[in-house]
Amino acid sequence: MRYDCVIIGGGLSGLTCGIRLAETGASVAVISTGMSALHFSSGSIDLFGYNGEGRTVYRPFEFLDEFVGSNPRHPYALCGARQVREALFYFRGQLDLEGIELYNNDESNHFHVTTLGTLKPTFFSQRSVFNEKIRLAFEKKSMIAALNFEGYRDFYPELAVINLRRNVLFRNIEIITGKIVYPDYGDPQRNPFEYRSVDIARIFDTERYLEELAVQIRNAASGAAFAAMPAFLGISNFKRHHKLLQELTGLLIYEIPTLPPSILGMRIDNALKSRFASLGGVYIAGDTVTGGSISGERLESVVTENGGGSALSAGSFVLATGSFFSGGLVSEFSRVREPVLDLKVYSDAERSRWYAPEFFPRRGHPFLEYGVETDERLNPKTGDGRRVKNLYCTGALLPYYNPIKEGSGGGVAVSTGYRAAELILEGNS
Amino acid sequence: MIRLQNISFDHCIKCTVCTVYCPVARATHHFPGPKQSGPDTERLRIKSPELLDESLKYCTNCKRCEIACPSNVKIADIIQSSKWRYFKKSLRPRDFFLAHTDLMGSVATRASLLVNFFIKLPPVKLFLDLFFRIPSERRFPKYARGSFLAWYKKHRAEQEAFAERAVYFPGCYVNYNNHELGKDVVTVLNAMNIGVIVSYEKCCGVPLIANGYIDRARKNALLNINSLAASAAESGARIISASSSCSFALKHEYRNLLELDNSAIFDSLDYITRFIHERFLKGNLPELKPVRLRAAYHSPCHLERMGGVMNTIEVLKKIPGLDLTILHSECCGIAGTYGFKKEYYRVSQKVGAELFKRIERADPQIVITDCETCKWQIEMSTPYRVEHPVTVLARSIDGGKL
């Protein structure tokens, strides 16, 4: 099989790149081992949340303008601040076409609430997490009701509220807790351990109980302006449910991202896949690229586990396989390795320096900054030092940035994916 | 004792993504989902078989959990092997009949007219429903007269005359029910100057595995591996199958589930559209006549798992005039013999409901799919006729009516 471009890795970065390329009429295949890290994400897109001292960044683009100058190896510097902006707003436009509206607080970050009641700075969120009305109601210090569904084990509103009350932003805001009982609770009770976000989201998608739930939510919220609930409002029809529930209750319905599987993240995953498919992209799920053949400065083809020896060749390739969690990087006892092509990796030979002794170190764990070393064109080198000019590395696979410490994972994935597509298109024209 | 190759459940990080993509968990809360039935409770079963939970029987072995798993856990294999490792063997006559497709086929094809007539009679259906717990709503595939092998014997000499040949494993469905599909395989390959050597020893084992007849499945598998390897060795040919589930079994279930060594055939095995597509790409493209039809393509679960869907799509795209809609990948629900069991019938239809809706929205003149049991399910549950991609390609070659 031959494609114009083969993208290895079907997450946020790979799909952003795939959509940009497929949009130009190129034939693109994305190969993905299992479902992507979007299923574990908040469903908001972070750009830059914390500076080097760990303080919150309020205006991320302004921050970036200076930051890229003094951090030339950072993935954002490889893209350039201007293209980071272009990439993020391109991404928003593509999701818009699939019915997901992303909201930003103009040039500023906004916060989303976590299951534990902490706040995370982020740039884009879905309507149920951030919009103008939510901002205004919050500024007015309106009362908040944190609600849970009885039997749902992955959210404890009481715990979340303790943490929220500690936060200076929530001073003088009244927060109450309450619970809602699913009208159909008798059925899933047989397997209470599997009463997870997706089970509830599916019941929402049937729309059978919306009116009944609205009454319960209104009662449990007793006078609050917000009803904050775990993100369950459905996977396919969430926009409609959100609107209906807000109308029926007269409340602002706020979604808190849950433990995996994250419904907010899955919505983005679905939208990206659907957009990619509608542009004629081929998404090969459940297969793993096991190696490739490089001749000279070019990667000619790759082989997969299911391919039965037949190779996939392409004019250009993108490696967007993620970091350790997604298998893009593998740690052995005394070395970090890139498993597909054994590319040159930035890491530390001394294992004891890979991590900090604390679980949440202020400076972050060094291993999070390891990855495949590239030049400014995102081209990596092979283990023996040869540059591969038609292979572009993007997303969490890249080194010299720390997505946790910086709060920059989503933005780096989107902008380097977009950057790779632009480089490929430039090369072709 | 824990064998090293069977501890992939330890790689499970409990992310529950498999359960999100499980068609059965979506259809019924009686199935706790692949994570719980597979890796979660496997460690309990290893400790004590008494901790076995019956609910894992709801698993259809569609393998969609394995496609979704980011940690490469062989979830469906774990559940499937638990079914026969820990449950008592089913003594139900129904399960015996459903499992032994080749035995049933060789008897039924001798009196196919009679069998096809009787199986449709309402009193017979009622009888099967009451005493065999085969739901009366379920439609059975028709049996053919005689076997495909008998037809092939008459044509063997001309097939052996081709310089290039491929070994073809027809499977029970072609041998006993649908000779035409087998003939279509011959038409297509002959048009590409490739002769067809039919090698068919025994049922591939899919229904035996599903119904817990593991010893029988292993015996069949060994016979098939040996006979296919011998046929392929003779001519250095590729081994092909036009049934996605037979292909999947020969290649992956033999190795992963039955724990047999199939390396003698592993590298030469191809699902037919991969074989055809690769030759198309090398320029061996027969002259194709237009097939002016609006078609919807449904990708079967096991072909999804094998990663062969793109080949079928690319082959279909070559057919001039074919107006093709690719349906969103959904399980049809039948899962081989699963949908023939009264206790699972409702779940089976509920799993398929989403696909049926999508087909109706596409409003095709025909549906195309690679799997025979998907075909039965869709033909029973929607008003549309279902054909195999090779059949569509064969009509494009011979200009016959579809």
Side-chain angles (χ1 to χ4, degrees):
Chain A
M1 293 284 284
R2 188 174 172 85
Y3 295 93
D4 293 332
C5 183
V6 165
I7 299 172
I8 308 163
L12 187 55
S13 197
L15 281 170
T16 303
C17 183
I19 288 169
R20 178 73 189 102
L21 290 171
E23 198 186 42
T24 67
S27 66
V28 188
V30 167
I31 307 166
S32 176
T33 309
M35 293 297 164
S36 77
L38 279 166
H39 291 73
F40 308 90
S41 76
S42 65
S44 291
I45 304 294
D46 301 345
L47 176 53
F48 218 112
Y50 307 101
N51 67 14
E53 283 81 53
R55 293 214 183 83
T56 303
V57 170
Y58 287 94
R59 296 177 74 82
F61 281 118
E62 268 173 33
F63 175 81
L64 266 189
D65 282 336
E66 269 186 39
F67 178 83
V68 295
S70 46
N71 294 273
R73 291 189 298 188
H74 193 283
Y76 280 143
L78 302 183
C79 300
R82 197 179 52 85
Q83 201 159 44
V84 172
R85 177 187 286 273
E86 197 180 302
L88 277 146
F89 284 91
Y90 171 80
F91 179 81
R92 186 175 76 167
Q94 296 301 306
L95 284 194
D96 208 49
L97 294 171
E98 289 293 327
I100 295 192
E101 291 152 5
L102 291 181
Y103 289 80
N104 54 305
N105 192 7
D106 291 328
E107 288 290 298
S108 301
N109 274 328
H110 60 272
F111 292 96
H112 75 77
V113 177
T114 69
T115 322
L116 285 175
T118 58
L119 297 182
K120 295 280 173 207
T122 191
F123 193 71
F124 281 135
S125 284
Q126 291 167 42
R127 187 185 181 80
S128 53
V129 177
F130 180 77
N131 65 58
E132 193 61 11
K133 278 186 188 160
I134 291 180
R135 194 171 67 87
L136 287 175
F138 184 76
E139 280 169 2
K140 273 200 260 164
K141 302 204 175 290
S142 312
M143 180 175 156
I144 297 170
L147 308 178
N148 193 26
F149 284 76
E150 189 165 281
Y152 179 64
R153 293 151 41 96
D154 288 342
F155 178 57
Y156 296 88
E158 295 77 8
L159 181 65
V161 167
I162 290 170
N163 271 327
L164 281 177
R165 282 191 186 130
R166 282 186 187 162
N167 195 302
V168 63
L169 289 173
F170 284 80
R171 195 173 288 159
N172 304 323
I173 292 182
E174 194 184 347
I175 314 173
I176 58 164
T177 60
K179 69 180 178 201
I180 306 158
V181 180
Y182 229 105
D184 207 17
Y185 189 53
D187 204 10
Q189 208 166 19
R190 182 171 138 56
N191 293 301
F193 299 112
E194 289 297 317
Y195 195 54
R196 305 289 288 265
S197 54
V198 63
D199 299 302
I200 304 177
R202 277 188 188 136
I203 308 179
F204 262 103
D205 274 341
T206 65
E207 271 188 33
R208 263 170 67 192
Y209 308 106
L210 275 188
E211 286 185 23
E212 215 173 321
L213 284 170
V215 174
Q216 281 202 45
I217 291 170
R218 207 170 43 216
N219 292 342
S222 59
F226 284 98
M229 301 187 301
F232 304 142
L233 290 180
I235 303 164
S236 47
N237 283 328
F238 56 94
K239 228 169 120 179
R240 182 179 146 77
H241 301 153
H242 186 245
K243 189 165 169 275
L244 271 175
L245 267 190
Q246 293 208 135
E247 281 168 15
L248 290 166
T249 57
L251 298 168
L252 287 168
I253 304 285
Y254 182 90
E255 284 191 298
I256 299 170
T258 65
L259 290 183
S262 157
I263 303 296
L264 285 155
M266 280 172 60
R267 289 176 194 155
I268 294 192
D269 179 75
N270 286 348
L272 291 174
K273 281 179 184 156
S274 159
R275 178 74 187 136
F276 182 58
S278 71
L279 293 167
V282 177
Y283 192 92
I284 304 165
D287 201 359
T288 303
V289 174
T290 50
S293 104
I294 296 173
S295 82
E297 292 186 316
R298 294 182 69 79
L299 175 61
E300 298 294 337
S301 61
V302 292
V303 286
T304 71
E305 226 164 59
N306 286 336
S310 63
L312 292 165
S313 54
S316 46
F317 292 84
V318 174
L319 193 64
T321 43
S323 181
F324 297 95
F325 175 75
S326 302
L329 296 172
V330 174
S331 71
E332 287 169 358
F333 190 80
S334 54
R335 115 184 149 114
V336 173
R337 153 178 96 77
E338 187 285 304
V340 179
L341 296 160
D342 205 10
L343 299 170
K344 192 166 180 292
V345 165
Y346 160 69
S347 71
D348 197 314
E350 176 53 47
R351 187 185 174 92
S352 64
R353 287 201 294 261
W354 290 2
Y355 48 86
E358 320 87 78
F359 192 72
F360 290 118
R362 184 161 270 270
R363 284 192 179 155
H365 288 291
F367 75 84
L368 286 165
E369 295 179 33
Y370 299 164
V372 171
E373 222 158 342
T374 69
D375 58 16
E376 68 285 357
R377 291 180 60 81
L378 301 173
N379 295 147
K381 280 180 183 167
T382 58
D384 52 17
R386 280 178 298 150
R387 170 148 300 145
V388 193
K389 279 191 165 165
N390 68 335
L391 174 62
Y392 302 84
C393 297
T394 73
L397 180 71
L398 293 172
Y400 305 118
Y401 84 107
N402 187 324
I404 308 285
K405 193 179 80 174
E406 299 168 357
S408 62
V412 166
V414 168
S415 48
T416 54
Y418 181 83
R419 170 80 179 152
E422 290 300 317
L423 286 167
I424 291 166
L425 294 171
E426 254 171 49
N428 292 346
S429 65
Chain B
M1 197 188 77
I2 305 171
R3 263 165 302 172
L4 199 60
Q5 64 264 41
N6 280 342
I7 58 164
S8 91
F9 65 81
D10 252 355
H11 300 155
C12 171
I13 59 159
K14 314 294 164 206
C15 71
T16 320
V17 165
C18 54
T19 301
V20 173
Y21 293 94
C22 172
V24 181
R26 196 182 310 172
T28 172
H29 279 292
H30 293 298
F31 183 52
K35 177 178 79 81
Q36 197 180 327
S37 292
D40 279 11
T41 43
E42 179 69 3
R43 60 185 72 242
L44 301 181
R45 294 189 286 265
I46 289 172
K47 269 189 186 158
S48 162
E50 280 168 21
L51 296 165
L52 183 69
D53 186 339
E54 290 258 336
S55 63
L56 66 79
K57 285 186 173 172
Y58 277 97
C59 169
T60 64
N61 198 26
C62 73
K63 309 278 185 193
R64 284 182 185 266
C65 48
E66 295 183 2
I67 296 175
C69 178
S71 309
N72 214 3
V73 180
K74 300 279 173 278
I75 310 162
D77 287 355
I78 293 171
I79 299 175
Q80 206 58 24
S81 66
S82 299
K83 281 191 192 172
W84 49 266
R85 249 185 246 271
Y86 304 109
F87 284 113
K88 277 197 197 122
K89 205 168 174 177
S90 160
L91 294 171
R92 269 200 181 144
R94 176 198 69 187
D95 294 354
F96 180 85
F97 292 137
L98 289 176
H100 293 75
T101 45
D102 44 3
L103 178 72
M104 297 306 295
S106 55
V107 176
T109 43
R110 286 190 194 147
S112 56
L113 281 177
L114 217 58
V115 172
N116 293 339
F117 173 73
F118 268 106
I119 206 109
K120 277 202 289 196
L121 294 178
V124 175
K125 284 188 161 229
L126 190 66
F127 175 82
L128 288 174
D129 191 312
L130 289 174
F131 296 101
F132 282 79
R133 293 186 56 75
I134 293 175
S136 56
E137 297 93 332
R138 175 58 65 191
R139 242 191 268 159
F140 276 82
K142 272 188 188 161
Y143 281 104
R145 247 177 110 174
S147 71
F148 175 69
L149 279 180
W151 175 88
Y152 174 72
K153 270 185 194 139
K154 290 181 230 151
H155 298 81
R156 178 185 280 161
E158 54 195 77
Q159 293 304 316
E160 284 175 347
F162 281 87
E164 191 191 344
R165 283 163 289 179
V167 175
Y168 171 45
F169 181 87
C172 303
Y173 174 63
V174 163
N175 199 34
Y176 303 114
N177 302 90
N178 189 353
H179 301 171
E180 297 310 313
L181 175 54
K183 293 177 195 169
D184 290 336
V185 169
V186 174
T187 302
V188 169
L189 295 192
N190 285 181
M192 297 166 74
N193 280 320
I194 300 166
V196 177
I197 307 299
V198 172
S199 169
Y200 179 57
E201 197 67 44
K202 284 281 175 191
C203 164
C204 68
V206 165
L208 292 165
I209 294 168
N211 289 286
Y213 293 88
I214 290 306
D215 297 337
R216 174 96 289 197
R218 283 219 173 90
K219 273 184 202 151
N220 280 12
L222 286 173
L223 285 168
N224 286 330
I225 292 169
N226 289 336
S227 74
L228 287 170
S231 309
E234 238 171 71
S235 49
R238 307 288 300 171
I239 304 165
I240 53 171
S241 154
S243 158
S244 44
S245 286
C246 292
S247 271
F248 184 75
L250 293 167
K251 197 150 181 150
H252 300 287
E253 301 279 55
Y254 282 11
R255 179 168 278 204
N256 298 330
L257 201 56
L258 300 181
E259 294 171 350
L260 296 173
D261 176 14
N262 66 347
S263 52
I265 57 170
F266 188 85
D267 287 332
S268 355
L269 277 168
D270 271 327
Y271 175 65
I272 190 153
T273 54
R274 183 195 293 282
F275 178 87
I276 293 173
H277 183 222
E278 278 185 359
R279 272 142 197 85
F280 277 11
L281 287 175
K282 284 180 192 147
N284 184 359
L285 183 68
E287 197 188 318
L288 298 176
K289 302 180 184 88
V291 175
R292 299 201 192 284
L293 280 178
R294 203 168 54 253
Y297 172 66
H298 159 66
S299 53
C301 299
H302 285 171
L303 194 61
E304 288 277 353
R305 179 71 185 100
M306 275 194 292
V309 174
M310 58 180 174
N311 292 303
T312 298
I313 293 174
E314 292 300 321
V315 166
L316 290 174
K317 276 190 191 164
K318 288 279 187 300
I319 299 173
L322 193 69
D323 176 7
L324 193 64
T325 303
I326 314 286
L327 297 164
H328 182 82
S329 170
E330 299 271 355
C331 179
C332 77
I334 193 169
T337 58
Y338 189 90
F340 284 84
K341 298 175 178 174
K342 197 174 165 82
E343 62 272 33
Y344 303 128
Y345 181 77
R346 281 186 55 198
V347 174
S348 165
Q349 292 307 107
K350 206 173 160 195
V351 166
E354 185 59 34
L355 174 69
F356 310 149
K357 255 192 267 166
R358 285 178 191 266
I359 293 175
E360 264 157 50
R361 247 178 274 149
D363 189 30
Q365 288 162 298
I366 55 162
V367 175
I368 302 174
T369 192
D370 310 80
C371 167
E372 58 269 19
T373 64
C374 295
K375 171 185 159 83
W376 306 338
Q377 176 80 335
I378 296 168
E379 288 189 336
M380 185 189 88
S381 314
T382 73
Y384 303 98
R385 185 163 56 97
V386 183
E387 295 294 354
H388 194 283
V390 168
T391 299
V392 184
L393 187 59
R395 294 298 81 78
S396 175
I397 286 167
D398 64 20
K401 203 173 171 310
L402 196 67

